[in-house]
Amino acid sequence: MTFRLTKRGHFHGISLGLLALADYLDQEGSPIDYTRRRTLDYRELLPLDTWTQLCRNIDFEAGGVRRHQFARALLFERLSGLPATLAPAAYAPGTTELRTMLRTFETDLTHALMSQLEEHAAEFLTRQGIRDEPLSWQPPTDIVRDLALPGCDLRDIDPGMLHRLIRDDCLTTAQAARRLGVSHDAVRFVLQEQPAPPAAAKSAKWERGATVRRARTALPRDKFARFYLDEYRSLKWIAEHAGVNEEAIKVLVREYGMKRDGKATRWRQIDLDWLREQRAAGRTCRELAEETGFSLGMISYLGRRHDLPGRHPGEIRSPPEKHTGNTPL
C-alpha cells in the first residue's frame, strides 16, 4: 500500500494528514468514546416491529427483510464506527452481493426516514446508558485544509445535482459517483447527511397508502384477528367490511404477522347443521358464501362432501324430458 501511494504521489500528503488528525485528537479529543461504542451489544438495534412502526409513521415502504437488514447495518456503522461486516450475524452483509446492495441503500433514504432512524438510535444509546454523546462525529476538515490530498472536497459536491441524479435519472450511488467524478463513499456520506427528497409520488401510490391507513384504522389488530383467525373470514369479506380493497388487507396480514390453518381445516369453522337447514330452505351457495364470508367454492365443497340439499355450482342440470303425445303439457 505504501508503494502504491508513493507511486501515485499521495503518500506524503496522507502522512501529514494522519499526523494532523492525531495531534487534533490528542489536544481536543473526541466527544464519542468509540472504545465503549464498539463493545455495545447491537443485537437489539432496530428490531423488526420498531422498523415497521417508524416506516408506518412516515408512510415509507418498509419493504422486505433485506431493506430492514440494510437499515440496521447503516445504523451500526454510524454508531460504532465499524464496518457493517462486523455487525451481529442477523444483519451483517455476509456476501459480496449483499455488501454491494448495502452500498446503494442511501438512495432509499429520505429526510423523514433518516430522522426516524436517528431518533431510534438515540433511544438505543440511552438504553445502553449513553446520554451525553452525539450519534456520530467527524473531526473538522480545517485541520487538513492546506494539504494536497487525493479525492474531492465534500463541499464541492452539489447536493441538488446529486439528488436529481438519484431521483430524476434513477442512478445508483455508484453511477452518480462516476457522473460527478467523485468517490462512491463520498456520495454515500453526502446522502446520509443530506438525503434526497422523496420522488414525486404517483397518485396510485398515494392512493394505496391512504387505503392501507383506512384499513388500519378500521381493523386494529384484535379486530382483524377475530375476523381472520377466529371467524376465518375471507380476504374479500374483510375488505368489503372495512370498505377497502383486498390488497390493503394483504398488507395488514403481513404487518400483523398472522397465519392460519390451510383450506383443508376451514370447514370446521362453520355449523354444518345450520348450513344444511339453509340449503334445505332453498338458499343458494352464493348467498351463503356472501353471508358467512367463505368462498363460493368452499360452500359448494361442503355441500358435496356432506351431501347437503340443493344444487351446487358446477353441477350439470338433467335435461328436461321430452313431451310425448301421451304426456300432459
Side-chain angles (χ1 to χ4, degrees), residues 1-145:
M1 179 61 72
T2 301
F3 174 77
R4 292 174 60 186
L5 292 175
T6 302
K7 185 176 181 180
R8 296 179 182 181
H10 300 322
F11 181 78
H12 182 67
I14 291 177
S15 298
L16 293 177
L18 291 175
L19 290 173
L21 175 59
D23 289 341
Y24 177 86
L25 292 176
D26 284 341
Q27 297 173 14
E28 304 295 336
S30 166
I32 294 179
D33 182 350
Y34 277 107
T35 301
R36 177 173 60 176
R37 287 282 184 96
R38 291 177 182 127
T39 61
L40 296 180
D41 185 351
Y42 289 95
R43 287 177 296 180
E44 295 303 317
L45 178 64
L46 193 62
L48 180 58
D49 56 346
T50 302
W51 166 250
T52 302
Q53 183 59 54
L54 70 83
C55 289
R56 185 183 303 171
N57 292 341
I58 58 173
D59 290 330
F60 182 83
E61 183 64 48
V65 174
R66 285 185 175 177
R67 180 174 283 189
H68 175 224
Q69 292 175 334
F70 294 157
R72 302 180 78 184
L74 174 67
L75 284 186
F76 173 83
E77 287 185 332
R78 288 174 66 86
L79 292 179
S80 70
L82 295 171
T85 51
L86 297 179
Y91 55 90
T95 65
T96 301
E97 179 187 11
L98 289 177
R99 288 191 288 273
T100 301
M101 294 173 67
L102 171 63
R103 289 167 62 86
T104 65
F105 179 64
E106 282 78 9
T107 59
D108 291 334
L109 295 178
T110 64
H111 178 73
L113 177 60
M114 204 65 208
S115 295
Q116 290 283 313
L117 291 175
E118 290 178 347
E119 181 178 338
H120 169 74
E123 294 173 354
F124 172 81
L125 291 179
T126 299
R127 290 195 300 270
Q128 300 282 342
I130 300 176
R131 299 178 175 83
D132 57 350
E133 294 181 355
L135 298 181
S136 59
W137 175 80
Q138 53 274 333
T141 57
D142 294 345
I143 62 177
V144 294
R145 176 183 296 173

Side-chain angles (χ1 to χ4, degrees), residues 214-244 249-250 252-253 256 258-261 266 269-270 289-295:
R214 289 202 311 273
R216 292 193 195 106
T217 301
L219 298 165
R221 180 183 291 272
D222 56 346
K223 186 175 182 179
F224 189 87
R226 176 162 57 85
F227 288 152
Y228 189 69
L229 300 178
D230 299 339
E231 300 180 8
Y232 232 112
R233 301 285 186 173
S234 67
L235 297 183
K236 180 179 180 181
W237 186 94
I238 299 174
E240 291 176 350
H241 176 84
V244 297
I249 301 303
K250 292 178 182 178
L252 293 190
V253 171
Y256 293 155
M258 293 185 179
K259 296 181 180 180
R260 61 186 183 185
D261 297 332
R266 293 181 64 184
Q269 306 291 328
I270 194 169
E290 292 175 353
E291 178 175 335
T292 61
F294 283 76
S295 68

